[in-house]
């Protein structure tokens, strides 16, 4: 596996490659990330991964400085997966001058749910993803469904900018007890790790109630949040939305059985977890 840090080196390595499959990451890789590499290989060749902790998507009181950095272990895992190139730029490599041009998603998609609780987050995500796409110029790029809103925003961005990159969605990779794998799971204490699968259990309860014909969605959302709060969680939201645009479903949408998704974000101790489940 070649490890490169500069954009020029990356382009030298990929010159003439027309079927590159790309998986962008922030490192601290786990089995969920590695499953993305395997899916990427099914859609293109060679596979390129990136590791870059993007300062632009962290708020002023978020965990940029303490975000787990495990580069040596990450390299070992990527080599075992047969990744061809690891692009690991420094901030100076990717942002050699202040990144004054930014990509801003539309408010109706970027300022709800995660965007409401993490203002500016998606501006940072879309800006770095567009820049990484410009550097790698992939035929396909793979993103996990765990970050459901992020996936939708990136897919819409790629379409509206007519980028020559197909966005492939990977199913959420879960531990045996249902917890969605996340780099931030490492922040959980032993007791918190035992409690953490409750979030997914609540999503399943909400989804089942919707399938059973429960149409008071606000009540379902509130009940689920109250159950989490009673167990010591601090929920930001549990929201039932349309898969197509993450807007609240209307009575007509429910009548026509529009595909839905229930999304959640909640803090357990000091660790903020997100998850979702398609209905």
């Amino acid at each position: 596996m070649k490890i490169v840090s500069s954009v020029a080196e990356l382009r030298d390595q990929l010159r003439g490659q027309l079927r590159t499959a790309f998986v962008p990451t922030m490192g601290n890789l786990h089995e969920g990330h590695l499953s993305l590499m395997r899916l990427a290989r099914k859609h293109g060749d060679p596979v390129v991964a990136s590791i870059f902790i993007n300062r632009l998507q962290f708020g002023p009181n978020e965990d940029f400085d303490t975000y787990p950095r495990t580069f040596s272990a990450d390299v070992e895992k990527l080599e075992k997966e047969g990744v061809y190139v690891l692009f690991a730029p420094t901030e100076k490599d990717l942002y050699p001058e202040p990144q004054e041009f930014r990509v801003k998603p539309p408010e109706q998609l970027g300022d709800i749910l995660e965007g409401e609780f993490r203002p500016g987050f998606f501006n940072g995500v879309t800006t770095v993803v567009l820049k990484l796409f410009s550097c790698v110029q992939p035929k396909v790029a793979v993103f996990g469904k765990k970050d459901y809103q992020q996936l939708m925003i990136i897919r819409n961005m790629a379409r509206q900018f007519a980028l020559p990159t197909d966005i492939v969605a990977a199913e959420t990779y879960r531990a045996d007890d249902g917890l969605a794998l996340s780099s931030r799971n490492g922040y959980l204490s032993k007791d918190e790790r035992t409690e953490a699968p409750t979030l997914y259990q609540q999503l399943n309860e909400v989804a089942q109630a919707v399938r059973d014909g429960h149409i008071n969605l606000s009540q379902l959302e509130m009940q689920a949040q109250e159950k989490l709060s009673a167990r010591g969680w601090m929920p930001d939201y549990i929201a039932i939305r349309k898969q197509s645009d993450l807007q609240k479903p209307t009575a007509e949408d429910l009548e026509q059985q529009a595909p839905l998704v229930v999304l959640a974000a909640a803090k357990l101790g000091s660790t903020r977890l997100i998850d979702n489940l398609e209905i």
Side-chain angles (χ1 to χ4, degrees), residues 211-255:
R211 293 187 197 104
D212 290 343
H214 199 301
I215 60 172
N216 191 336
L217 303 189
S218 297
Q219 183 184 54
L220 287 179
E221 294 167 348
M222 187 62 65
Q223 287 174 345
Q225 290 190 59
E226 288 172 352
K227 287 179 182 178
L228 285 178
S229 296
R231 299 178 66 96
W233 291 72
M234 292 173 284
D236 282 343
Y237 60 83
I238 294 181
I240 302 164
R241 299 297 174 95
K242 291 187 290 182
Q243 290 183 24
S244 60
D245 57 10
L246 294 188
Q247 300 305 301
K248 294 179 180 180
T250 64
E252 185 180 358
D253 292 325
L254 296 177
E255 188 177 327

Short mmCIF file of all heavy atoms in Angstrom, two decimals, residues 211-255:
data_model
loop_
_atom_site.label_atom_id
_atom_site.label_comp_id
_atom_site.label_asym_id
_atom_site.label_seq_id
_atom_site.Cartn_x
_atom_site.Cartn_y
_atom_site.Cartn_z
N ARG A 211 -44.96 0.42 11.82
CA ARG A 211 -45.41 -0.70 10.97
C ARG A 211 -46.78 -1.21 11.42
O ARG A 211 -47.58 -1.69 10.60
CB ARG A 211 -44.39 -1.84 11.01
CG ARG A 211 -43.05 -1.53 10.37
CD ARG A 211 -42.18 -2.77 10.29
NE ARG A 211 -40.79 -2.43 10.07
CZ ARG A 211 -39.83 -2.45 11.00
NH1 ARG A 211 -40.14 -2.83 12.24
NH2 ARG A 211 -38.60 -2.10 10.72
N ASP A 212 -47.04 -1.12 12.72
CA ASP A 212 -48.31 -1.61 13.27
C ASP A 212 -49.45 -0.62 13.05
O ASP A 212 -50.58 -0.87 13.47
CB ASP A 212 -48.17 -1.90 14.76
CG ASP A 212 -47.29 -3.12 15.04
OD1 ASP A 212 -47.06 -3.91 14.10
OD2 ASP A 212 -46.81 -3.25 16.19
N GLY A 213 -49.15 0.52 12.42
CA GLY A 213 -50.21 1.46 12.07
C GLY A 213 -50.36 2.63 13.01
O GLY A 213 -51.33 3.40 12.89
N HIS A 214 -49.45 2.82 13.95
CA HIS A 214 -49.51 3.96 14.85
C HIS A 214 -49.23 5.23 14.05
O HIS A 214 -48.17 5.38 13.46
CB HIS A 214 -48.45 3.79 15.95
CG HIS A 214 -48.69 4.62 17.16
ND1 HIS A 214 -48.77 5.99 17.13
CD2 HIS A 214 -48.88 4.28 18.46
CE1 HIS A 214 -48.98 6.45 18.35
NE2 HIS A 214 -49.05 5.43 19.18
N ILE A 215 -50.20 6.15 14.01
CA ILE A 215 -50.04 7.31 13.14
C ILE A 215 -49.71 8.60 13.90
O ILE A 215 -49.43 9.63 13.28
CB ILE A 215 -51.30 7.54 12.28
CG1 ILE A 215 -52.53 7.78 13.17
CG2 ILE A 215 -51.52 6.38 11.32
CD1 ILE A 215 -53.76 8.21 12.40
N ASN A 216 -49.74 8.56 15.22
CA ASN A 216 -49.34 9.74 15.98
C ASN A 216 -47.82 9.71 16.16
O ASN A 216 -47.29 9.26 17.18
CB ASN A 216 -50.05 9.78 17.34
CG ASN A 216 -49.86 11.12 18.04
OD1 ASN A 216 -48.89 11.84 17.77
ND2 ASN A 216 -50.78 11.46 18.94
N LEU A 217 -47.13 10.20 15.13
CA LEU A 217 -45.67 10.05 15.11
C LEU A 217 -45.01 10.92 16.19
O LEU A 217 -44.00 10.50 16.78
CB LEU A 217 -45.14 10.43 13.73
CG LEU A 217 -45.72 9.63 12.55
CD1 LEU A 217 -44.95 9.96 11.26
CD2 LEU A 217 -45.71 8.13 12.82
N SER A 218 -45.54 12.09 16.44
CA SER A 218 -44.97 12.96 17.48
C SER A 218 -45.00 12.28 18.84
O SER A 218 -44.07 12.39 19.63
CB SER A 218 -45.72 14.29 17.54
OG SER A 218 -45.58 15.00 16.34
N GLN A 219 -46.11 11.58 19.11
CA GLN A 219 -46.22 10.86 20.38
C GLN A 219 -45.18 9.75 20.47
O GLN A 219 -44.54 9.56 21.51
CB GLN A 219 -47.63 10.27 20.51
CG GLN A 219 -47.87 9.56 21.84
CD GLN A 219 -49.24 8.91 21.90
OE1 GLN A 219 -49.60 8.13 21.02
NE2 GLN A 219 -50.01 9.24 22.93
N LEU A 220 -44.99 9.02 19.38
CA LEU A 220 -43.98 7.96 19.37
C LEU A 220 -42.59 8.54 19.64
O LEU A 220 -41.81 7.97 20.42
CB LEU A 220 -43.98 7.24 18.02
CG LEU A 220 -45.13 6.30 17.70
CD1 LEU A 220 -44.96 5.72 16.31
CD2 LEU A 220 -45.21 5.18 18.74
N GLU A 221 -42.28 9.65 18.99
CA GLU A 221 -40.97 10.28 19.17
C GLU A 221 -40.77 10.70 20.63
O GLU A 221 -39.71 10.47 21.22
CB GLU A 221 -40.84 11.49 18.24
CG GLU A 221 -40.83 11.14 16.77
CD GLU A 221 -41.01 12.35 15.87
OE1 GLU A 221 -41.37 13.44 16.38
OE2 GLU A 221 -40.80 12.22 14.65
N MET A 222 -41.80 11.33 21.21
CA MET A 222 -41.72 11.82 22.58
C MET A 222 -41.57 10.66 23.57
O MET A 222 -40.75 10.71 24.50
CB MET A 222 -42.95 12.65 22.92
CG MET A 222 -42.87 13.35 24.26
SD MET A 222 -41.50 14.52 24.35
CE MET A 222 -42.04 15.72 23.12
N GLN A 223 -42.34 9.62 23.36
CA GLN A 223 -42.26 8.46 24.26
C GLN A 223 -40.87 7.83 24.24
O GLN A 223 -40.33 7.46 25.28
CB GLN A 223 -43.33 7.43 23.88
CG GLN A 223 -44.75 7.83 24.23
CD GLN A 223 -45.77 6.85 23.71
OE1 GLN A 223 -45.49 6.00 22.85
NE2 GLN A 223 -47.01 6.96 24.21
N ALA A 224 -40.30 7.73 23.05
CA ALA A 224 -38.96 7.13 22.93
C ALA A 224 -37.92 7.99 23.63
O ALA A 224 -37.03 7.48 24.32
CB ALA A 224 -38.61 6.95 21.45
N GLN A 225 -38.04 9.31 23.48
CA GLN A 225 -37.10 10.20 24.16
C GLN A 225 -37.25 10.11 25.68
O GLN A 225 -36.26 10.11 26.42
CB GLN A 225 -37.32 11.64 23.70
CG GLN A 225 -36.89 11.90 22.26
CD GLN A 225 -36.89 13.38 21.92
OE1 GLN A 225 -36.21 14.15 22.55
NE2 GLN A 225 -37.66 13.75 20.91
N GLU A 226 -38.49 10.01 26.14
CA GLU A 226 -38.73 9.90 27.58
C GLU A 226 -38.15 8.60 28.14
O GLU A 226 -37.59 8.59 29.24
CB GLU A 226 -40.23 9.98 27.86
CG GLU A 226 -40.81 11.38 27.65
CD GLU A 226 -42.32 11.41 27.75
OE1 GLU A 226 -42.94 10.32 27.82
OE2 GLU A 226 -42.90 12.52 27.74
N LYS A 227 -38.26 7.52 27.38
CA LYS A 227 -37.69 6.24 27.83
C LYS A 227 -36.17 6.34 27.95
O LYS A 227 -35.57 5.83 28.90
CB LYS A 227 -38.08 5.12 26.87
CG LYS A 227 -39.55 4.71 26.97
CD LYS A 227 -39.87 3.61 25.96
CE LYS A 227 -41.34 3.24 26.01
NZ LYS A 227 -41.69 2.20 25.00
N LEU A 228 -35.54 6.99 26.98
CA LEU A 228 -34.09 7.16 27.05
C LEU A 228 -33.71 8.05 28.23
O LEU A 228 -32.77 7.74 28.99
CB LEU A 228 -33.56 7.76 25.75
CG LEU A 228 -33.48 6.85 24.53
CD1 LEU A 228 -32.98 7.63 23.31
CD2 LEU A 228 -32.55 5.65 24.78
N SER A 229 -34.43 9.14 28.40
CA SER A 229 -34.13 10.07 29.51
C SER A 229 -34.24 9.36 30.85
O SER A 229 -33.42 9.60 31.76
CB SER A 229 -35.08 11.26 29.47
OG SER A 229 -34.89 12.03 28.30
N ALA A 230 -35.23 8.48 30.98
CA ALA A 230 -35.44 7.76 32.24
C ALA A 230 -34.27 6.83 32.56
O ALA A 230 -34.06 6.46 33.73
CB ALA A 230 -36.75 6.97 32.18
N ARG A 231 -33.51 6.46 31.53
CA ARG A 231 -32.35 5.58 31.72
C ARG A 231 -31.04 6.36 31.81
O ARG A 231 -29.97 5.76 31.76
CB ARG A 231 -32.28 4.55 30.59
CG ARG A 231 -33.51 3.65 30.50
CD ARG A 231 -33.40 2.69 29.32
NE ARG A 231 -32.32 1.74 29.49
CZ ARG A 231 -32.44 0.51 29.97
NH1 ARG A 231 -33.66 0.08 30.34
NH2 ARG A 231 -31.41 -0.29 30.09
N GLY A 232 -31.15 7.69 31.90
CA GLY A 232 -29.94 8.49 32.09
C GLY A 232 -29.35 9.07 30.82
O GLY A 232 -28.30 9.71 30.86
N TRP A 233 -30.02 8.87 29.68
CA TRP A 233 -29.56 9.45 28.43
C TRP A 233 -29.98 10.92 28.35
O TRP A 233 -30.90 11.36 29.04
CB TRP A 233 -30.18 8.72 27.24
CG TRP A 233 -29.73 7.31 27.02
CD1 TRP A 233 -30.05 6.22 27.77
CD2 TRP A 233 -28.92 6.82 25.94
NE1 TRP A 233 -29.50 5.08 27.24
CE2 TRP A 233 -28.80 5.42 26.11
CE3 TRP A 233 -28.31 7.42 24.85
CZ2 TRP A 233 -28.08 4.62 25.24
CZ3 TRP A 233 -27.59 6.62 23.97
CH2 TRP A 233 -27.47 5.25 24.16
N MET A 234 -29.33 11.67 27.48
CA MET A 234 -29.74 13.04 27.16
C MET A 234 -30.01 13.11 25.67
O MET A 234 -29.10 13.38 24.87
CB MET A 234 -28.63 14.02 27.57
CG MET A 234 -28.43 14.11 29.07
SD MET A 234 -26.99 15.12 29.50
CE MET A 234 -25.66 13.98 29.11
N PRO A 235 -31.26 12.85 25.25
CA PRO A 235 -31.57 12.81 23.81
C PRO A 235 -31.57 14.20 23.19
O PRO A 235 -32.08 15.16 23.77
CB PRO A 235 -32.97 12.20 23.76
CG PRO A 235 -33.32 11.78 25.15
CD PRO A 235 -32.42 12.52 26.07
N ASP A 236 -31.00 14.30 22.00
CA ASP A 236 -31.16 15.51 21.18
C ASP A 236 -32.42 15.39 20.33
O ASP A 236 -33.20 16.34 20.23
CB ASP A 236 -29.94 15.71 20.26
CG ASP A 236 -28.74 16.28 21.01
OD1 ASP A 236 -28.94 16.81 22.12
OD2 ASP A 236 -27.62 16.19 20.49
N TYR A 237 -32.61 14.23 19.73
CA TYR A 237 -33.83 14.02 18.95
C TYR A 237 -34.03 12.54 18.68
O TYR A 237 -33.07 11.76 18.65
CB TYR A 237 -33.78 14.77 17.61
CG TYR A 237 -32.64 14.37 16.69
CD1 TYR A 237 -32.72 13.25 15.85
CD2 TYR A 237 -31.47 15.12 16.65
CE1 TYR A 237 -31.67 12.89 15.03
CE2 TYR A 237 -30.41 14.76 15.82
CZ TYR A 237 -30.52 13.65 15.02
OH TYR A 237 -29.47 13.29 14.21
N ILE A 238 -35.28 12.16 18.55
CA ILE A 238 -35.69 10.93 17.88
C ILE A 238 -36.76 11.37 16.91
O ILE A 238 -37.78 11.95 17.31
CB ILE A 238 -36.21 9.86 18.85
CG1 ILE A 238 -35.07 9.39 19.77
CG2 ILE A 238 -36.82 8.69 18.08
CD1 ILE A 238 -35.46 8.31 20.75
N ALA A 239 -36.53 11.17 15.63
CA ALA A 239 -37.37 11.77 14.61
C ALA A 239 -37.72 10.76 13.52
O ALA A 239 -36.85 10.04 13.03
CB ALA A 239 -36.66 12.97 13.98
N ILE A 240 -38.99 10.72 13.17
CA ILE A 240 -39.47 9.86 12.08
C ILE A 240 -39.61 10.75 10.84
O ILE A 240 -40.37 11.73 10.85
CB ILE A 240 -40.83 9.23 12.45
CG1 ILE A 240 -40.69 8.42 13.75
CG2 ILE A 240 -41.33 8.34 11.30
CD1 ILE A 240 -42.03 8.08 14.40
N ARG A 241 -38.89 10.42 9.81
CA ARG A 241 -38.85 11.27 8.62
C ARG A 241 -38.99 10.42 7.36
O ARG A 241 -38.83 9.20 7.38
CB ARG A 241 -37.54 12.05 8.57
CG ARG A 241 -37.32 12.98 9.76
CD ARG A 241 -38.38 14.07 9.81
NE ARG A 241 -38.30 14.89 11.01
CZ ARG A 241 -37.65 16.04 11.09
NH1 ARG A 241 -37.00 16.51 10.04
NH2 ARG A 241 -37.66 16.73 12.21
N LYS A 242 -39.26 11.10 6.25
CA LYS A 242 -39.30 10.43 4.95
C LYS A 242 -37.87 10.12 4.50
O LYS A 242 -36.98 10.96 4.63
CB LYS A 242 -39.99 11.30 3.91
CG LYS A 242 -41.48 11.49 4.13
CD LYS A 242 -42.13 12.22 2.97
CE LYS A 242 -41.72 13.67 2.94
NZ LYS A 242 -42.38 14.41 1.83
N GLN A 243 -37.66 8.94 3.96
CA GLN A 243 -36.34 8.58 3.44
C GLN A 243 -35.93 9.49 2.29
O GLN A 243 -34.75 9.77 2.11
CB GLN A 243 -36.33 7.13 2.97
CG GLN A 243 -36.41 6.09 4.06
CD GLN A 243 -36.32 4.67 3.53
OE1 GLN A 243 -35.77 4.42 2.46
NE2 GLN A 243 -36.87 3.73 4.27
N SER A 244 -36.89 9.98 1.54
CA SER A 244 -36.57 10.70 0.31
C SER A 244 -35.92 12.05 0.55
O SER A 244 -35.04 12.48 -0.20
CB SER A 244 -37.84 10.90 -0.53
OG SER A 244 -38.80 11.64 0.21
N ASP A 245 -36.35 12.75 1.62
CA ASP A 245 -35.83 14.11 1.83
C ASP A 245 -35.68 14.50 3.30
O ASP A 245 -35.35 15.65 3.61
CB ASP A 245 -36.73 15.13 1.13
CG ASP A 245 -38.19 15.06 1.59
OD1 ASP A 245 -38.48 14.35 2.58
OD2 ASP A 245 -39.03 15.72 0.96
N LEU A 246 -35.93 13.56 4.20
CA LEU A 246 -35.81 13.77 5.65
C LEU A 246 -36.78 14.83 6.18
O LEU A 246 -36.57 15.38 7.26
CB LEU A 246 -34.37 14.12 6.06
CG LEU A 246 -33.34 13.00 5.85
CD1 LEU A 246 -32.00 13.39 6.46
CD2 LEU A 246 -33.82 11.68 6.42
N GLN A 247 -37.86 15.09 5.44
CA GLN A 247 -38.90 15.97 5.93
C GLN A 247 -39.94 15.15 6.70
O GLN A 247 -40.03 13.93 6.56
CB GLN A 247 -39.56 16.72 4.77
CG GLN A 247 -38.60 17.57 3.97
CD GLN A 247 -37.82 18.57 4.81
OE1 GLN A 247 -38.42 19.42 5.47
NE2 GLN A 247 -36.50 18.49 4.80
N LYS A 248 -40.74 15.84 7.53
CA LYS A 248 -41.76 15.15 8.30
C LYS A 248 -42.84 14.60 7.36
O LYS A 248 -43.29 15.30 6.46
CB LYS A 248 -42.39 16.11 9.31
CG LYS A 248 -41.43 16.58 10.38
CD LYS A 248 -42.11 17.56 11.33
CE LYS A 248 -41.12 18.03 12.41
NZ LYS A 248 -41.76 18.98 13.36
N PRO A 249 -43.24 13.35 7.55
CA PRO A 249 -44.26 12.78 6.67
C PRO A 249 -45.63 13.38 6.95
O PRO A 249 -46.00 13.64 8.09
CB PRO A 249 -44.23 11.28 7.00
CG PRO A 249 -43.65 11.21 8.37
CD PRO A 249 -42.71 12.37 8.51
N THR A 250 -46.38 13.62 5.89
CA THR A 250 -47.75 14.11 6.00
C THR A 250 -48.70 12.92 6.14
O THR A 250 -48.30 11.76 5.97
CB THR A 250 -48.13 14.92 4.76
OG1 THR A 250 -48.11 14.03 3.62
CG2 THR A 250 -47.17 16.06 4.52
N ALA A 251 -49.94 13.23 6.42
CA ALA A 251 -50.96 12.17 6.49
C ALA A 251 -51.04 11.43 5.15
O ALA A 251 -51.21 10.20 5.11
CB ALA A 251 -52.31 12.77 6.87
N GLU A 252 -50.90 12.19 4.07
CA GLU A 252 -50.94 11.56 2.74
C GLU A 252 -49.73 10.63 2.55
O GLU A 252 -49.86 9.54 1.98
CB GLU A 252 -50.94 12.64 1.66
CG GLU A 252 -51.11 12.09 0.25
CD GLU A 252 -51.11 13.19 -0.80
OE1 GLU A 252 -51.03 14.39 -0.43
OE2 GLU A 252 -51.19 12.84 -2.00
N ASP A 253 -48.56 11.05 3.03
CA ASP A 253 -47.38 10.19 2.94
C ASP A 253 -47.62 8.88 3.67
O ASP A 253 -47.27 7.79 3.18
CB ASP A 253 -46.16 10.89 3.56
CG ASP A 253 -45.70 12.09 2.76
OD1 ASP A 253 -45.80 12.05 1.52
OD2 ASP A 253 -45.22 13.07 3.38
N LEU A 254 -48.21 8.97 4.86
CA LEU A 254 -48.47 7.76 5.65
C LEU A 254 -49.49 6.87 4.95
O LEU A 254 -49.35 5.64 4.92
CB LEU A 254 -48.96 8.13 7.04
CG LEU A 254 -47.97 8.90 7.92
CD1 LEU A 254 -48.60 9.27 9.25
CD2 LEU A 254 -46.69 8.09 8.14
N GLU A 255 -50.51 7.50 4.38
CA GLU A 255 -51.54 6.74 3.68
C GLU A 255 -50.96 6.00 2.48
O GLU A 255 -51.33 4.86 2.19
CB GLU A 255 -52.65 7.70 3.22
CG GLU A 255 -53.87 7.00 2.65
CD GLU A 255 -54.96 7.99 2.28
OE1 GLU A 255 -55.08 9.02 2.97
OE2 GLU A 255 -55.67 7.73 1.30
#
